[in-house]
Amino acid sequence: MDTKRSAAKSHTLGELLAVARERAVPVVRGVPDEALSAPTPCADYDVKSLVNHLFQVVVEFQKLAAKGESDFSTTPDRVGAGSDWRERFAEETDRLVAAWSAPGAEEGTAGAWRMPARLVGAMALLDLTVHAWDLARATGQEYRADDELVPVLEQLAGTVAELAPTARSTGVFAEPVPVAEGASAFERLLGQTGRDPYRT
């Protein structure tokens, strides 16, 4: 038995998303207006566009938890919609946690591709984790990778392994970045998603 994966599955997605939320929301709140045009570890995004992308993930994956359909055809400019965008992000992230904590959210399939619902929810968990790190790196903040994050990393190690072949072929993940011997689980996750965990 894969003990790490079984340990991760002992936590609900709602619980794991709550842990990720507690790390992502302070980072987003800490993004200064003057940094919105700064580059990020995601080559296709500056800070503003990455916040807008993560905001969209948080909103659209609420629909997927309820077995509705998401819409990623366009990315609304939620940052440009008002100076309260940081608090709106926090509120929507609370709703994301609640949506995936609801009875039945992890059961069956979700989305147009009819993927297992837990895998779909774990995709939101992945974005909420790695993009928060991206934003922290881009804006000179610390991302809190402490012991409470361990179950999240255990879940995401399996998620990335499952998604990687398709994600790399479609350009969603870059090629893996080598990490140091003895790298932490978080550093290994970043490397597997094509990020340099030692980037400053």
Side-chain angles (χ1 to χ4, degrees):
M1 176 184 289
D2 186 333
T3 55
K4 284 189 176 181
R5 189 167 299 184
S6 63
K9 284 193 173 181
S10 69
H11 293 79
T12 68
L13 277 174
E15 291 169 339
L16 298 176
L17 283 163
V19 172
R21 179 213 178 277
E22 291 305 309
R23 283 141 186 81
V25 167
V27 169
V28 172
R29 282 181 173 147
V31 172
D33 288 340
E34 58 270 23
L36 290 173
S37 61
T40 74
C42 296
D44 294 337
Y45 296 102
D46 62 12
V47 169
K48 180 181 178 181
S49 59
L50 186 56
V51 171
N52 276 327
H53 168 70
L54 185 55
F55 216 138
Q56 185 180 26
V57 167
V58 165
V59 170
E60 295 300 321
F61 274 80
Q62 295 172 39
K63 302 174 187 176
L64 293 168
K67 305 301 188 286
E69 292 301 332
S70 59
D71 181 6
F72 286 92
S73 58
T74 60
T75 303
D77 182 10
R78 292 182 168 92
V79 173
S83 60
D84 63 340
W85 57 268
R86 296 170 184 84
E87 289 312 307
R88 285 186 281 116
F89 176 82
E91 291 165 3
E92 292 294 350
T93 308
D94 282 341
R95 293 187 182 104
L96 177 72
V97 172
W100 284 98
S101 300
E106 296 186 37
E107 298 172 7
T109 60
W113 294 100
R114 314 316 305 167
M115 296 170 66
R118 185 172 174 102
L119 179 61
V120 170
M123 292 165 67
L125 179 66
L126 179 63
D127 272 21
L128 194 59
T129 302
V130 298
H131 286 325
W133 179 88
D134 291 330
L135 290 169
R137 276 293 183 270
T139 58
Q141 301 184 64
E142 289 294 323
Y143 181 89
R144 184 158 55 96
D146 54 17
D147 289 346
E148 289 183 13
L149 197 65
V150 169
V152 172
L153 299 177
E154 290 171 349
Q155 171 67 52
L156 292 181
T159 300
V160 169
E162 190 165 350
L163 295 175
T166 300
R168 290 203 178 101
S169 68
T170 56
V172 174
F173 290 172
E175 289 301 308
V177 172
V179 297
E181 185 176 349
S184 69
F186 192 50
E187 289 168 344
R188 292 196 300 273
L189 173 69
L190 294 170
Q192 284 300 306
T193 59
R195 290 161 170 80
D196 179 358
Y198 314 113
R199 172 192 173 108
T200 58

